[in-house]
Amino acid sequence: LPSASERMLKGYATRCFARASRGHSLRLFSGLSVPPPTRLGWRPIRKLLAANRGEIAIRIFRAATELDIKTVAIYSKEDFGSLHRYKADESFLVGVGKSPVGAYLSAEEIVDLAHKQGVDAIHPGYGFLSENTRFVELCEQAGIAFVGPPSKVIHRFGDKTEARMLAEEFSVPVVPGTKHAVTSIEGAREFCNECGFPVIIKAAFGGGGRGMRIVREKDELEENFLRASSEALTAFGD
């Protein structure tokens, strides 16, 4: 079965245009065949960059290949021999001098590379820059399609505290939680003293389970808070 990433790409990249006229049957045109633009600035996806690594990138490339879309991989120096690099039509080194994870968080460099290589769209996969508002804005400014929500939606949902406030704004039931990001262990203790245990520490940004810890007792709070903060900084740069 295709993954959610593959389904999203296929749904985004494939467009069908129908035309019916008197005495003629319905005709379907694939979005890859150069149909007339549906809106100003629209262009079909011919070349796609996956801003991710490993299995995630490979799944994206497989879906793109099935749609006859050229693929571009990025890799850190540590991933020189990674399989995803060889599954793409083209591959480029990014993040020279940065950590293995930091290379994949180089938003400006990745978008600049995509622009220079004639990339039409960037698929973020999940984790890394997938919920980074600035990255999506850079794509929009460069005229590169971001396979995912627009920046204004990412801003509201990429930041979990913003998403929570939005839910409350529309009277969606939510469990007790902090109104804003907690940046100190003292702030975490204050909330726990008020609401009790167990609690979940969750990174305000990012996804994929990174930066998340369950705390069942008071003695576990500080260690898990520091671990979750460190993991979030490493994985999402925040």
Side-chain angles (χ1 to χ4, degrees):
L1 292 175
S3 66
S5 174
E6 293 169 309
R7 292 196 301 271
M8 181 165 67
L9 173 58
K10 289 180 180 179
Y12 191 96
T14 302
R15 300 287 189 271
C16 285
F17 299 86
R19 183 176 71 187
S21 58
R22 186 167 52 192
H24 293 81
S25 60
L26 188 69
R27 297 177 62 194
L28 294 178
F29 298 86
S30 165
L32 299 175
S33 64
V34 196
T38 56
R39 62 181 183 276
L40 185 64
W42 182 92
R43 70 174 188 246
I45 297 175
R46 306 286 190 186
K47 195 173 185 180
L48 176 85
L49 182 148
N52 218 296
R53 64 180 297 279
E55 181 191 1
I56 301 167
I58 290 172
R59 284 178 175 271
I60 294 168
F61 297 151
R62 183 173 69 181
T65 300
E66 290 176 0
L67 293 167
D68 198 27
I69 297 173
K70 290 189 66 176
T71 55
V72 179
I74 57 173
Y75 62 94
S76 66
K77 64 180 184 297
E78 290 82 4
D79 278 342
F80 179 82
S82 181
L83 184 60
H84 81 275
R85 180 190 170 198
Y86 299 97
K87 288 291 186 180
D89 295 307
E90 303 172 21
S91 62
F92 298 91
L93 174 67
V94 295
V96 175
K98 296 185 178 181
S99 69
V101 174
Y104 295 96
L105 297 175
S106 307
E108 288 81 2
E109 181 182 355
I110 292 170
V111 173
D112 184 56
L113 169 67
H115 181 71
K116 290 178 179 176
Q117 298 303 321
V119 168
D120 300 304
I122 295 178
H123 195 310
Y126 59 84
F128 291 129
L129 294 168
S130 63
E131 298 182 40
N132 187 295
T133 305
R134 176 61 180 155
F135 181 60
V136 184
E137 289 174 343
L138 287 170
C139 290
E140 293 169 347
Q141 292 165 12
I144 298 171
F146 176 79
V147 183
S151 58
K152 62 181 180 180
V153 175
I154 290 286
H155 175 69
R156 296 303 302 266
F157 286 95
D159 182 342
K160 304 306 183 295
T161 55
E162 283 279 345
R164 179 187 177 82
M165 287 190 286
L166 182 63
E168 291 176 337
E169 186 180 319
F170 287 90
S171 301
V172 176
V174 295
V175 298
T178 58
K179 297 292 183 182
H180 305 285
V182 176
T183 57
S184 67
I185 185 62
E186 290 75 18
R189 286 197 184 103
E190 183 180 341
F191 173 80
C192 293
N193 290 336
E194 179 183 342
C195 295
F197 293 90
V199 298
I200 294 179
I201 299 172
K202 174 73 179 76
F205 293 90
R210 300 288 186 91
M212 183 183 292
R213 290 287 187 279
I214 298 175
V215 182
R216 294 183 171 83
E217 298 179 3
K218 183 177 181 179
D219 295 342
E220 301 174 357
L221 180 61
E222 184 169 359
E223 180 184 357
N224 282 285
F225 180 84
L226 295 175
R227 286 187 175 183
S229 299
S230 176
E231 190 173 288
L233 180 62
T234 300
F236 312 118
D238 195 306

